[in-house]
Amino acid sequence: MQYLILEDGSIYAGESFGAKIESEGEVVFTTGMTGYQEAITDQSYANQILVFTNPLIGNYGVCLADNESLNPQIKGVICHQVARYPDNWRMQESLPEFLQKRNIPAIQGIDTRSLVKKLRLHGTLNGKIASSKEQAEKIAAELREKNLTQHIIKQVSTKSPYPVPGSQRNIVVIDFGLKNSILKELTKRNCNCIVLPFSASSQEVLNLHPDGVLLSNGPGDPEEMQEAVKMVQEVEKHIPLFGICMGHQVFALANGAKTYKMKFGHRGFNHPVKEIATGKIGFTSQNHGYAVAEDSIDFQNLMVTYKEINDNTVEGLRHKKYPAFSVQFHPDATPGPYDEVSLFDEFMMMIDNFKGAKNA
């Protein structure tokens, strides 16, 4: 038996199916019907305990090719039921085996509907996966005093630059907690990528003479990313730029906007967004707990390109002077709908047009 203890004193009991360790994290939920492996290995979930709203996970096992990272930093998995007999021709191991090998605790048998209702009502809460509930009041009091997602991008970002070879456009990718699916979309377009740490300076970026710069997804509070903000402020003047998720928030901050922490965030693969210019609705994959404050945007420099249908939050920005844009959602999906994957093609076109104008 293991227990999930929340900072408000709530206790949820269930059966362990992951690593038998104790762990603390920010408790969040995802509405995705599939893609449990991609979610668990997404570094945007670093230092978080993830609750799956889908009542059954693990039914098709785990395949290494579907990992979004090799060393996931998630702090725990909560579900109603894990499949007892997973089956899939690509499967290499079961989900419990995967979690145990990576030292990630997990609990099944919890009333996830009740838990998610609590998170929606009260907002994101800190929690602890514990082997005993005897010290629940003390644990809850300690959890209320902790910031469990502070300064975590350096925990998930690459420590050293590395290449992902290609034959055409040279792209510098800034790793804030990079998903492999972003690199896959760039390599599909024959991009020659160099991945740099989150702390890369503008000079380090410019010294590589890239054709474009992509700011990746990542966990934590974007307001902590002041070095990256300064880097973007200089780089966007010289090179086409595309920001995704955390990259979108850093791009916004670099151009004078502000961000705020959402009540419970957007996590899942069914979030509808509206493209302002065309009125087109697309369904998107999302994973973020912060958003750009619309009333802080300097409309002399930026324009809003996408909005979320459910809560009207800002989902996309474009610079009016420089060849630079960003989106809050994940156009790479994986898993999820590919409604907006063409944004990678738009980035390629922006790069080619910029080079053409520069050489004219």
Side-chain angles (χ1 to χ4, degrees), residues 25-328:
E26 189 179 55
V27 183
V28 300
F29 65 91
T30 176
T31 57
M33 296 290 287
T34 61
Y36 52 82
Q37 179 185 343
E38 290 91 337
I40 290 167
T41 57
D42 181 351
Q43 299 290 37
S44 291
Y45 284 116
N47 286 21
Q48 293 180 327
I49 296 172
L50 180 59
V51 181
F52 286 90
T53 58
N54 196 47
L56 176 70
I57 66 171
N59 52 309
Y60 51 86
V62 169
C63 174
L64 179 63
D66 295 333
N67 277 359
E68 290 293 352
S69 67
L70 290 177
N71 298 298
Q73 300 297 308
I74 195 170
K75 291 299 182 181
V77 172
I78 305 293
C79 71
H80 180 67
Q81 182 181 357
V82 66
R84 294 174 61 191
Y85 303 107
D87 184 40
N88 184 276
W89 68 273
R90 298 174 69 243
M91 175 180 142
Q92 294 169 317
E93 58 187 338
S94 70
L95 179 58
E97 290 171 336
F98 175 84
L99 295 172
Q100 290 161 17
K101 288 178 182 177
R102 285 153 185 82
N103 214 33
I104 300 170
I107 307 176
Q108 66 168 326
I110 281 179
D111 183 351
T112 51
R113 178 173 292 183
S114 169
L115 176 54
V116 169
K117 281 184 175 180
K118 178 182 288 290
L119 296 176
R120 285 182 61 88
L121 179 63
H122 298 288
T124 298
L125 296 168
N126 288 339
K128 180 174 182 176
I129 294 177
S131 56
S132 169
K133 61 179 180 178
E134 291 181 5
Q135 301 292 319
E137 288 187 12
K138 179 182 177 183
I139 290 170
E142 292 173 347
L143 288 170
R144 287 193 289 271
E145 301 300 318
K146 293 182 178 181
N147 183 342
L148 298 175
T149 59
Q150 191 173 27
H151 306 309
I152 56 173
I153 284 186
K154 60 184 177 184
Q155 177 181 317
V156 298
S157 179
T158 183
K159 302 300 184 287
S160 303
Y162 65 89
V164 181
S167 59
Q168 291 188 23
R169 305 167 190 89
N170 296 310
I171 307 295
V172 163
V173 179
I174 307 299
D175 180 8
F176 296 139
L178 178 65
K179 289 173 64 182
N180 285 340
S181 52
I182 291 176
L183 290 178
K184 288 176 182 177
E185 289 299 329
L186 293 174
T187 55
K188 281 180 188 176
R189 291 158 178 81
N190 297 317
C191 293
N192 179 55
C193 302
I194 299 177
V195 181
L196 297 184
F198 77 101
S199 57
S201 67
S202 58
Q203 198 56 56
E204 287 174 311
V205 173
L206 295 172
N207 284 347
L208 293 169
H209 305 290
D211 298 317
V213 172
L214 188 144
L215 310 174
S216 86
N217 64 292
D221 184 351
E223 296 279 359
E224 295 178 356
M225 304 300 295
Q226 292 306 310
E227 288 183 20
V229 166
K230 292 177 183 176
M231 178 272 291
V232 171
Q233 287 172 336
E234 183 60 30
V235 167
E236 68 180 4
K237 300 174 185 176
H238 306 284
I239 302 166
L241 183 145
F242 179 22
I244 295 174
C245 200
M246 173 61 77
H248 160 77
Q249 295 163 6
V250 170
F251 173 64
L253 291 171
N255 287 284
K258 296 185 182 301
T259 58
Y260 64 95
K261 188 167 186 178
M262 305 170 76
K263 187 174 181 180
F264 49 79
H266 294 163
R267 297 176 180 89
F269 318 125
N270 51 4
H271 290 270
V273 298
K274 179 179 180 180
E275 186 177 22
I276 305 301
T278 64
K280 185 187 74 170
I281 306 296
F283 285 87
T284 64
S285 174
Q286 300 198 18
N287 179 7
H288 61 100
Y290 290 81
V292 175
E294 186 172 8
D295 60 5
S296 72
I297 296 171
D298 180 357
F299 291 103
Q300 296 294 318
N301 291 323
L302 298 175
M303 64 183 294
V304 176
T305 55
Y306 288 89
K307 280 196 171 183
E308 218 269 7
I309 296 296
N310 293 320
D311 60 12
N312 212 37
T313 51
V314 174
E315 290 283 338
L317 294 168
R318 182 178 295 273
H319 207 286
K320 292 183 176 180
K321 180 179 177 182
Y322 305 127
F325 70 104
S326 65
V327 291
Q328 182 65 78

